[in-house]
């Protein structure tokens, strides 16, 4: 594995750790203020809403 690949893998791992920590903190705060735990990220909710349509048989991309 080259030095660049090692650096990339290290940064990706760090990014995922930070993202998971932030999600845990967000869920903990949401629970403290009385909201349900946020199981999906904002991106996941936006993607699922994008596939819903008022007209049957049509889908937007």
């Amino acid at each position: 594995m080259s030095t660049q690949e090692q650096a990339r893998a290290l940064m990706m791992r760090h990014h995922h750790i930070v993202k998971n920590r932030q999600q845990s903190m967000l869920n903990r705060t949401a629970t403290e203020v009385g909201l349900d735990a946020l199981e999906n990220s904002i991106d996941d909710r936006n993607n699922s809403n994008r596939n819903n349509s008022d007209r049957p048989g049509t889908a937007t991309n």
Side-chain angles (χ1 to χ4, degrees), residues 2 5 8 20 27 31 37 41-44 49 51 54 56:
S2 73
E5 290 172 335
R8 178 175 166 76
N20 288 341
N27 285 335
T31 301
S41 70
I42 292 171
D43 291 335
D44 290 342
N49 290 338
N51 292 331
D54 292 336

Side-chain angles (χ1 to χ4, degrees), residues 9-53:
L10 181 63
M11 288 303 297
M12 288 176 60
R13 181 172 181 269
H14 175 73
H15 172 76
H16 288 292
I17 290 170
V18 169
K19 184 177 176 182
N20 288 341
R21 184 182 308 129
Q22 290 174 339
Q23 189 67 41
S24 295
M25 291 170 54
L26 179 63
N27 285 335
R28 192 175 304 124
T29 302
T31 301
E32 288 177 3
V33 298
L35 299 174
D36 292 333
L38 303 172
E39 295 180 15
N40 296 322
S41 70
I42 292 171
D43 291 335
D44 290 342
R45 283 185 273 154
N46 285 340
N47 288 337
S48 66
N49 290 338
R50 196 177 308 149
N51 292 331
N52 294 334
S53 175

